[in-house]
């Protein structure tokens, strides 16, 4: 791919769009492994600048473009079994440049999906309600604590949770947090058995 974007034709950018669309709408490990590289190409060439949204306006960032309905965008998260923004973040965790580009721009939900007699919705992705998830932490850290977030991407912190604790975004509740997480994953039968066990002498020890 040429470094000078002026040498690219519209057909090249449309090919990039189609490639990403194809990856979002297919499953399988090969497809998922290829996604970061396809997105990296779009980032390097700033492909979104060569398309307009449903209102005819230029896209402000790559995420708005990815989320917009095809052919203006790539229809990210639109339809059954289609890769969502959160899944794209997870799939690019090992590719810091791509991951950062996605996390830096919080998506507007349903952008590019017009409602009855209306233009695209401008409802925003609520990252505050998702702080307790890995994706939520990534979004909050990239926006509010960029220095700690960059340290995480560069390997200083092994997990985004560790970086969030260092930034004092969340408390280091260690075992309590892990216990709560394990409890949520239990079946109803397992939860009853666990609660009963908590009342035994063995648990008190």
């Amino acid at each position: 791919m040429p470094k000078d974007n002026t040498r690219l034709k519209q057909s090249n950018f449309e090919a990039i769009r189609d490639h990403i669309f194809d990856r979002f709408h297919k499953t399988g490990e090969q497809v998922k492994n290829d996604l970061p590289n396809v997105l990296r190409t779009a980032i390097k060439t700033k492909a979104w600048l060569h398309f307009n949204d449903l209102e005819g306006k230029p896209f402000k960032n790559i995420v708005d473009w990815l989320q917009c309905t095809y052919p203006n965008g790539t229809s990210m998260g639109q339809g059954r079994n289609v890769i969502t923004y959160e899944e794209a973040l997870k799939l690019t965790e090992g590719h810091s440049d791509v991951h950062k580009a996605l996390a830096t721009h919080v998506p507007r939900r349903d952008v590019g999906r017009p409602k009855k007699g209306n233009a695209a919705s401008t409802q925003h992705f609520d990252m505050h309600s998702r702080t307790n998830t890995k994706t939520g932490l990534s979004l909050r850290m990239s926006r509010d604590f960029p220095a700690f977030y960059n340290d995480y991407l560069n390997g200083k912190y092994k997990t985004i949770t560790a970086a969030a604790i260092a930034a004092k975004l969340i408390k280091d509740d260690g075992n309590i947090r892990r216990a709560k997480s394990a409890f949520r994953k239990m079946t109803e039968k397992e939860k009853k058995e666990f609660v009963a066990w908590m009342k035994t002498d063995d648990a008190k020890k």
Side-chain angles (χ1 to χ4, degrees), residues 27-46:
T27 58
E29 288 306 311
Q30 184 176 358
V31 169
K32 292 180 179 179
N33 291 337
D34 185 43
L35 180 62
N37 292 327
V38 182
L39 291 174
R40 181 177 289 111
T41 299
I43 293 167
K44 286 183 177 180
T45 60
K46 296 184 178 180

Side-chain angles (χ1 to χ4, degrees), residues 96-122:
S96 60
D97 56 332
V98 180
H99 185 83
K100 185 175 182 179
L102 295 181
T104 300
H105 302 288
V106 180
R108 294 181 295 156
R109 284 193 170 176
D110 298 328
V111 65
R113 281 182 267 181
K115 295 184 178 181
K116 295 179 181 179
N118 240 338
S121 168
T122 56

Side-chain angles (χ1 to χ4, degrees), residues 27-194:
T27 58
E29 288 306 311
Q30 184 176 358
V31 169
K32 292 180 179 179
N33 291 337
D34 185 43
L35 180 62
N37 292 327
V38 182
L39 291 174
R40 181 177 289 111
T41 299
I43 293 167
K44 286 183 177 180
T45 60
K46 296 184 178 180
W48 63 90
L49 297 179
H50 299 268
F51 297 88
N52 292 326
D53 63 19
L54 298 183
E55 296 178 343
K57 299 177 182 178
F59 289 101
K60 295 180 179 180
N61 58 69
I62 185 173
V63 174
D64 282 354
W65 174 61
L66 294 176
Q67 198 179 23
C68 187
T69 302
Y70 185 91
N72 302 65
T74 67
S75 300
M76 177 175 64
Q78 298 181 31
R80 192 174 183 179
N81 300 322
V82 179
I83 292 176
T84 64
Y85 173 70
E86 292 189 4
E87 290 169 336
L89 277 181
K90 292 177 182 178
L91 291 170
T92 57
E93 283 179 349
H95 306 264
S96 60
D97 56 332
V98 180
H99 185 83
K100 185 175 182 179
L102 295 181
T104 300
H105 302 288
V106 180
R108 294 181 295 156
R109 284 193 170 176
D110 298 328
V111 65
R113 281 182 267 181
K115 295 184 178 181
K116 295 179 181 179
N118 240 338
S121 168
T122 56
Q123 181 181 359
H124 284 68
F125 185 93
D126 184 5
M127 59 182 163
H128 289 280
S129 67
R130 299 166 179 261
T131 304
N132 61 334
T133 67
K134 193 171 184 180
T135 300
L137 285 177
S138 291
L139 294 173
R140 290 290 305 280
M141 291 293 291
S142 67
R143 190 195 71 170
D144 299 333
F145 304 93
F148 288 93
Y149 182 69
N150 286 332
D151 285 341
Y152 159 66
L153 294 178
N154 293 327
K156 182 177 180 179
Y157 301 102
K158 292 183 178 180
T159 65
I160 190 63
T161 300
I165 290 172
K168 297 182 179 180
L169 174 60
I170 61 175
K171 294 181 180 180
D172 184 9
D173 51 10
N175 292 331
I176 294 294
R177 175 170 45 80
R178 286 188 285 273
K180 288 180 179 179
S181 177
F183 189 78
R184 293 190 190 99
K185 296 176 183 178
M186 292 181 185
T187 63
E188 289 303 315
K189 181 181 179 180
E190 290 172 334
K191 288 179 179 179
K192 290 179 180 179
E193 291 179 1
F194 182 77

